[in-house]
């Protein structure tokens, strides 16, 4: 029998507690997502609409095929910063004329759609996704360009935006720019570098310098239309390939461009898949509110994979890491999921072997995180935990099959790395509202600091102030706790979004489908030296 059984008691008090804790966190998350949708707020939204313009997400909605989902990425970018959450840009994956595309849309209701440091990070992350998965890119442009007061943080690194557009093009990945409004100065290079451009009558403004700047530079008198209007670019400069009469027409033309791309995915879609045997709603009641309490990740796997069917690999060896094979929306996946939290030598070796197997068979890997890191202590150091952890990290870092990571619970220390954390380039990484990630747990970190401070005082022969120490510990604990939370980490673009656990199968299915646009080829060799 390879169908996973369940021991989840959905009528019991533990399940109810876990579910209640998760629902509180989801409410908090939904409140933040609502702020993202509000963009620049009522005043700017009303003004924008008053100009007869569509909002960024309305443009996206009209661009994608009717009744198809849009997987929005990094919606919480800039959370916890001084900038508007969402970072004045919408990015995500949607289907246009049957083609999965990476779509970006400036939000002109937030500071004229100008790009701040978080907008830049979000846009560059979107480009990375397009590159890795070979997704055609469609940019819906209306932006005040660089956010001028923060230019020092974006001007120099921001050159990467235009570099990426042309590198995508050079890699044969189509790029389409639809200009809804302002696209001046550096912004002019978005249509300038794209394979296809659509401009809109009396709306698009594409020039290196507007009339005041031209007046200052050369003394020439000019106006927006003659400098950079759609008519001029369609008839005279040749920068516009397509002239649209209004926004709806521009979106229609963009859809026609994609329809004519002759775009073919590297892998055909798999046949229709069976859903899991168990209700995905139950994913709300698995992770305990207190992450110190372990949970069985097989209960999660059973609610994610096709038919809840899972072939475990080495279940009796290194049992604190569950490894095995399954399908998700028809796509084969190898799954690594933490069980008891700690990674020992056996788990690390098993993971390295499993990652190599997936690479031999060209099977994408899914990492389900709930780890406090690699085991410490004399016995484990003497047993070679560093060598074995390094072996796992080596395998993950040099693996060439696509990786997906989901932070369900804890993701601490080097365990975050071994389980393919952000720095290990998973194709996509999502967090559940229940997750926490940091160098170690807040209490442990505060405790370590306190021990170090105490030892330092003793070395200097000074008395130690225990009362101040308690205060400091509490403060540090609180700081680390808030910096470990998913909204904070998502704000810094350390994931691609915080998702409702119930959506995990759908989100991963969309990612796997996008991933299979590019060839899935594992590494046959090319790992670093495995220290045995
Ligand atoms: N940097 C910082 N703030 C900017 C900005 C930019 N590049 N562009 C616009 N803003 C701010 C405005 O100051 C305004 O703030 P406020 O509401 O607090 O007064 C807000 O965004 C909205 O701008 P506003 O000019 O009222 O909107 P609009 O829709 O009428 O015009 C633009 C939008 C983009 C056409 C216009 O703001 C503009 O020309 N901006 C400068 C463009 C530019 O030359 N950029 C240099 C690129 S390198």
């Amino acid at each position: 029998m390879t169908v996973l059984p369940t021991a989840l008691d959905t009528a019991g008090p533990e399940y109810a507690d876990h579910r209640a804790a998760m629902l509180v966190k989801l409410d908090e998350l939904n409140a933040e997502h609502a702020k993202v949708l509000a963009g620049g707020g009522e005043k700017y939204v009303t003004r924008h609409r008053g100009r007869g313009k569509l909002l960024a997400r309305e443009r996206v909605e009209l661009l994608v095929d009717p009744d198809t989902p849009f997987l929005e990425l990094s919606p919480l970018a800039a959370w916890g910063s001084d900038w508007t959450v969402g970072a004045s840009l919408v990015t995500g994956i949607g289907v246009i004329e049957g083609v999965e595309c990476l779509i970006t849309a400036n939000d002109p209701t937030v500071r004229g759609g100008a790009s701040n440091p978080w907008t830049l990070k979000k846009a560059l992350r979107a480009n990375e996704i397009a590159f890795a998965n070979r997704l055609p890119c469609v940019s819906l442009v209306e932006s005040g360009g660089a956010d001028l007061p923060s230019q020092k943080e974006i001007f120099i690194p921001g050159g990467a935006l235009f570099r990426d557009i042309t590198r995508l093009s050079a890699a044969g990945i189509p790029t389409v720019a639809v200009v809804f409004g302002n696209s001046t100065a550096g912004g002019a290079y978005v249509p300038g570098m794209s394979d296809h451009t659509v401009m809109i009558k009396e709306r698009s403004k594409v020039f290196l310098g507007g009339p005041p700047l031209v007046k200052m530079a050369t003394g020439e008198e000019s106006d927006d239309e003659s400098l950079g209007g759609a008519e001029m670019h369609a008839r005279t400069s040749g920068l516009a390939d397509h002239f649209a009469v209004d926004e709806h027409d521009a979106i229609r033309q963009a859809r026609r461009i994609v329809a004519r791309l002759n775009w073919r995915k590297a892998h055909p879609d798999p046949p229709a898949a069976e859903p899991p045997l168990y209700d995905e709603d139950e994913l709300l009641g698995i992770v305990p509110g207190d992450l110190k309490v372990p949970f069985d990740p097989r209960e999660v796997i059973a609610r994610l994979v096709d038919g809840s069917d899972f072939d475990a690999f080495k279940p009796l060896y290194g049992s604190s890491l569950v490894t095995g094979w399954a399908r998700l929306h028809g796509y084969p996946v190898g799954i690594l999921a933490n069980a008891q939290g700690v990674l020992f030598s056996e788990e690390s070796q098993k993971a390295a072997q499993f990652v190599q197997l997936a690479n031999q068979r060209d099977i994408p890997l899914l990492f389900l995180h709930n780890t406090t890191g690699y085991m410490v202590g004399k016995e484990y150091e003497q047993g070679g935990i560093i060598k074995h952890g390094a072996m796992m990290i080596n395998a993950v870092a040099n693996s060439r099959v696509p990786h997906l990571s989901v932070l369900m619970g804890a993701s601490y220390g080097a365990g975050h790395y071994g389980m393919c954390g952000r720095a290990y380039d998973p194709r996509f990484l999502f967090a559940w509202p229940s997750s926490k990630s940091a160098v170690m747990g807040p209490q442990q970190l505060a405790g370590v600091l306190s021990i170090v401070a105490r030892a330092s005082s003793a070395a200097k022969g000074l008395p130690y102030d225990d009362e101040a120490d308690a205060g400091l510990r509490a403060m540090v604990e609180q700081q680390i706790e808030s910096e470990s939370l998913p909204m904070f980490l998502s704000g810094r673009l350390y994931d691609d979004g915080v998702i409702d656990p119930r959506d995990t199968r759908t989100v991963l299915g969309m990612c796997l489908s996008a991933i299979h646009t590019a060839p899935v080829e594992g590494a046959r060799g090319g790992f670093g030296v495995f220290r045995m």
Side-chain angles (χ1 to χ4, degrees):
M1 277 297 285
T2 55
V3 170
L4 288 168
T6 184
L8 197 67
D9 175 10
T10 54
E14 278 181 9
Y15 176 87
D17 279 357
H18 301 169
R19 189 183 159 89
M22 185 69 91
L23 285 172
V24 168
K25 294 189 179 110
L26 274 173
D27 277 348
E28 290 164 9
L29 178 66
N30 291 339
E32 297 310 309
H33 282 154
K35 287 184 196 162
V36 178
L37 295 182
E42 206 183 321
K43 175 179 149 196
Y44 291 97
V45 169
T46 308
R47 188 177 73 165
H48 188 73
R49 284 198 191 288
R51 292 168 169 173
K53 292 185 164 205
L54 294 163
L55 297 176
R57 283 180 184 77
E58 291 169 346
R59 290 170 180 165
V60 172
E61 206 172 328
L62 288 170
L63 182 67
V64 299
D65 292 348
D67 298 326
T68 60
F70 177 63
L71 176 61
E72 189 164 335
L73 299 165
S74 326
L76 297 177
W79 191 93
S81 77
D82 292 337
W83 302 99
T84 306
V85 60
S88 71
L89 183 71
V90 180
T91 64
I93 295 172
V95 179
I96 304 171
E97 293 284 353
V99 178
E100 280 152 301
C101 294
L102 193 292
I103 300 169
T104 66
N106 300 115
D107 184 346
T109 68
V110 183
R111 286 173 82 87
S115 293
N116 60 56
W118 299 109
T119 322
L120 177 61
K121 277 200 167 60
K122 183 165 170 174
L124 293 177
R125 172 62 188 149
N127 289 348
E128 248 175 48
I129 291 172
F131 256 119
N133 303 294
R134 294 190 64 79
L135 300 178
C137 296
V138 182
S139 316
L140 308 183
V141 185
E142 180 165 17
S143 163
D147 185 278
L148 294 171
S150 57
Q151 69 83 28
K152 72 174 190 300
E153 286 169 75
I154 48 176
F155 165 60
I156 290 175
L161 283 177
F162 315 121
R163 174 204 69 192
D164 282 356
I165 301 175
T166 189
R167 284 189 180 165
L168 284 160
S169 177
I173 301 169
T175 54
V176 182
V178 188
V179 187
F180 288 85
N182 208 65
S183 181
T184 62
Y189 289 103
V190 177
M193 314 296 299
S194 294
D195 291 349
H196 304 269
T197 58
V198 183
M199 294 194 197
I200 306 174
K201 186 180 170 188
E202 291 161 14
R203 288 289 166 93
S204 309
K205 283 184 201 158
V206 185
F207 32 62
L208 291 183
L213 193 146
V214 172
K215 174 86 179 150
M216 288 298 291
T218 66
E220 185 189 21
E221 295 287 346
S222 54
D223 59 80
D224 284 353
E225 275 304 305
S226 65
L227 274 181
E231 291 251 8
M232 188 285 284
H233 281 308
R235 292 181 196 283
T236 313
S237 79
L239 180 61
D241 305 321
H242 301 268
F243 176 79
V245 294
D246 58 22
E247 294 203 8
H248 286 83
D249 186 32
I251 292 167
R252 183 188 63 78
Q253 297 204 37
R255 288 179 51 78
R256 291 311 305 152
I257 292 169
V258 176
R260 294 289 186 193
L261 290 176
N262 191 26
W263 194 246
R264 287 147 298 179
K265 294 179 70 162
H267 301 273
D269 291 344
E274 262 179 79
L277 288 190
Y278 314 105
D279 192 346
E280 54 198 1
D281 186 71
E282 293 164 2
L283 288 168
L284 293 180
I286 298 174
V287 183
D290 177 1
L291 292 181
K292 286 196 194 73
V293 182
F295 62 91
D296 186 350
R298 277 165 289 236
E299 296 291 359
V300 174
I301 297 169
R303 286 160 183 82
L304 292 184
V305 304
D306 298 352
S308 305
D309 193 11
F310 179 73
D311 283 280
F313 168 78
K314 275 191 153 101
L316 304 178
Y317 185 83
S319 59
S320 179
L321 183 75
V322 173
T323 46
W325 312 104
R327 284 188 174 265
L328 204 155
H329 276 289
Y331 295 99
V333 283
I335 300 176
L336 299 95
N338 305 110
Q340 301 300 318
V342 183
L343 290 159
F344 299 89
S345 286
E346 290 82 355
E347 281 73 10
S348 308
Q349 292 172 332
K350 169 167 135 175
Q353 185 188 358
F354 187 71
V355 169
Q356 282 190 302
L357 285 174
N359 275 269
Q360 290 286 356
R361 316 275 180 264
D362 302 328
I363 299 176
L365 289 169
L366 169 60
F367 295 81
L368 298 174
H369 293 226
N370 183 33
T371 178
T372 47
Y374 293 96
M375 189 65 195
V376 296
K378 191 164 58 183
E379 183 190 339
Y380 304 99
E381 299 286 5
Q382 292 180 356
I385 186 69
I386 298 175
K387 290 194 311 189
H388 298 130
M391 197 181 267
M392 176 171 172
I393 295 171
N394 175 350
V396 170
N398 293 301
S399 161
R400 289 282 161 266
V401 291
H403 296 173
L404 295 164
S405 282
V406 177
L407 275 56
M408 308 181 294
S411 187
Y412 287 122
H416 177 72
Y417 305 156
M419 290 295 288
C420 199
R422 188 55 141 185
Y424 288 76
D425 294 333
R427 291 288 176 92
F428 296 94
L429 185 151
F430 295 97
W432 284 2
S434 45
S435 67
K436 283 186 193 170
S437 192
V439 65
M440 62 181 83
Q443 280 171 348
Q444 290 82 346
L445 194 146
V448 170
L449 272 181
S450 156
I451 292 168
V452 172
R454 197 178 290 271
S456 167
S457 294
K460 291 179 200 138
L462 298 171
Y464 195 67
D465 184 342
D466 284 310
E467 209 172 301
D469 178 80
L472 191 72
R473 273 173 83 143
M475 209 173 69
V476 170
E477 242 183 86
Q478 205 183 12
Q479 179 204 327
I480 303 303
E481 169 77 16
S482 64
E483 291 173 358
S484 311
L485 295 176
M487 285 192 284
F488 177 84
L489 297 171
S490 206
R492 303 176 82 79
L493 277 293
Y494 288 150
D495 60 38
D496 296 309
V498 185
I499 59 170
D500 184 325
R502 291 169 290 192
D503 294 335
T504 310
R505 177 174 157 83
T506 305
V507 168
L508 294 179
M510 289 180 76
C511 292
L512 283 165
S513 178
I515 279 171
H516 283 79
T517 310
V520 174
E521 284 162 10
R524 299 293 187 262
F527 291 92
V529 173
F530 284 111
R531 191 178 283 282
M532 300 295 180

